Amino acid sequence: MPTLILVRHGRSTANTSGLLAGWTPGVALDERGAAQAAALPGRLAGLPISEVVASPLQRCQETVRPLLEARPGLRSHTDERIGECHYGDWSGRKLAELKDEPLMEVVQSHPSAAAFPGGESMRAMQTRAAEAVREWNARVERDHGADAVYLMCSHGDIIKSLVADALGLHLDLFQRISVEPCSVTAIRYTRLRPYLIRLGDTGDFASLAPREEPGEGDAPVGGGAGAP
């Protein structure tokens, strides 16, 4: 079965503002995010990508645009199932405000039980994304062969949940996974099991340096802004 390249969208204006964007319209790439997207074609130059599938949200569409411009014959598709988690009433709110909500402790420690008010559960989020991947795997293999490579551009929590699915991890462990903006994660699917080939690869090790102001240890809902 095919190899899936998962790209998280580049850094967005919501990332730098500390907002939980969700499906809020008009959330674009910031200056750094646009530069990350512009560098993506070069980073992926050696890969024979057969199809591109992107979340409908603006920040993902902007992330894949330079790649599609660099490869005019590459077919692009939009799939709502790999769109961001529906955070409901939390959408557009400051993460700093949300950390004191009782639900945030559930999101961090027991995400399989977390359901956002006016939105969806994290369990439903993972299910729809995993179903999309399996359907696209079959479609890409049918159209391009078992050794094909294709790309999905999605969001932090979606990608983390797909990595957990590939590794056979319970969703309650997915907060242990980190994927930075415009990072590349690769999963090779086979008849018997998936293999995680790359995880959150940005080619930049700045995020590994100690922070001047260490975080609290919680996983950033929505994925975080990446290296400073």
Side-chain angles (χ1 to χ4, degrees), residues 28 44 53 104 114 117 171 174 182 190 205:
L44 301 176
V53 186
M104 183 60 85
L171 184 61
F174 100 126
C182 224
T190 74
F205 296 104

Side-chain angles (χ1 to χ4, degrees), residues 1-3 50 137-150:
M1 296 180 71
T3 296
S50 58
N137 282 348
R139 178 172 173 174
V140 170
E141 181 174 7
R142 181 197 68 203
D143 294 345
H144 303 281
D147 295 326
V149 177
Y150 75 107

Side-chain angles (χ1 to χ4, degrees), residues 62-112:
E62 290 178 349
T63 298
V64 297
R65 189 173 299 149
L67 177 64
L68 296 173
E69 290 173 351
R71 303 191 190 194
L74 188 56
R75 289 194 296 178
S76 176
H77 314 269
T78 297
D79 194 326
E80 290 194 357
R81 294 174 297 175
I82 61 167
E84 181 63 284
C85 185
H86 291 276
Y87 296 117
D89 297 344
W90 280 27
S91 299
R93 291 181 60 188
K94 286 274 190 182
L95 287 165
E97 298 172 359
L98 292 169
K99 70 178 182 180
D100 294 325
E101 294 276 356
L103 178 60
M104 183 60 85
E105 185 177 3
V106 182
V107 170
Q108 292 293 328
S109 303
H110 190 19
S112 65

